[in-house]
Amino acid sequence: MKNFDIESLVNPEIVEGAFIYHDNEIFEVIDMDINQITIINKISGKKNISDKDWSPIELNEDWLNRFNLKVGSKIRNKTTDLDWIIKSTGNLYYTSIYVEPPYGDNPVIGLKFVHELQAWYFRLTHENIKLNKKLC
């Protein structure tokens, strides 16, 4: 996964490797520029779509498991050496800085969709989040 050049993107919230829906299928983003998003999957192959032609995938426990994560998993920020922890309230997921014992107003980043988790993971680790098995 790489961080696209934010100034030349049609959608700066998506990183390479992000999973999205298009035409009721799951696709992986493989490239993007100011005009289009290039996606691929095993069924439909490679396509170029506009930023209006996709929808996000809801983040849930199954998707966390696909990435070998769960509520309570920690992700190390390689820049600051601080751990962020995945938490949930019901079926809403978020990350916050991990401190023991917990206190006060730690930053909280909401994670409603799979591509948001993938982008946040990349920003913290500068690495691609790994799937248990190839999905697309």
Side-chain angles (χ1 to χ4, degrees), residues 22-86:
H22 170 71
D23 286 343
N24 296 316
E25 294 179 47
I26 296 173
F27 283 85
E28 183 175 357
V29 174
I30 58 171
D31 201 3
M32 184 179 357
D33 62 28
I34 195 74
N35 299 310
Q36 65 190 8
I37 300 169
T38 304
I39 58 176
I40 194 166
N41 75 11
K42 288 181 181 177
I43 298 168
S44 298
K46 186 174 165 182
K47 294 182 176 187
N48 292 317
I49 62 171
S50 80
D51 190 41
K52 295 180 174 135
D53 291 336
W54 68 277
S55 58
I57 301 169
E58 290 270 336
L59 183 61
N60 57 35
E61 190 173 339
D62 180 54
W63 272 100
L64 284 176
N65 290 334
R66 291 178 189 194
F67 294 119
N68 289 319
L69 296 172
K70 62 184 177 191
V71 172
S73 291
K74 294 180 196 129
I75 304 167
R76 173 67 50 126
N77 182 328
K78 288 191 174 177
T79 304
T80 65
D81 273 342
L82 291 173
D83 286 327
W84 287 72
I85 188 167
I86 297 175

Side-chain angles (χ1 to χ4, degrees), residues 1 78 118 121-130:
M1 183 181 302
K78 288 191 174 177
Q118 291 178 277
Y121 188 94
F122 181 79
R123 286 181 189 105
L124 290 176
T125 66
H126 310 288
E127 295 177 3
N128 188 354
I129 189 169
K130 305 276 192 281

Side-chain angles (χ1 to χ4, degrees), residues 2-15:
K2 69 180 179 186
N3 194 8
F4 293 107
D5 176 11
I6 291 176
E7 293 178 9
S8 64
L9 297 183
V10 68
N11 188 324
E13 296 179 8
I14 297 176
V15 292

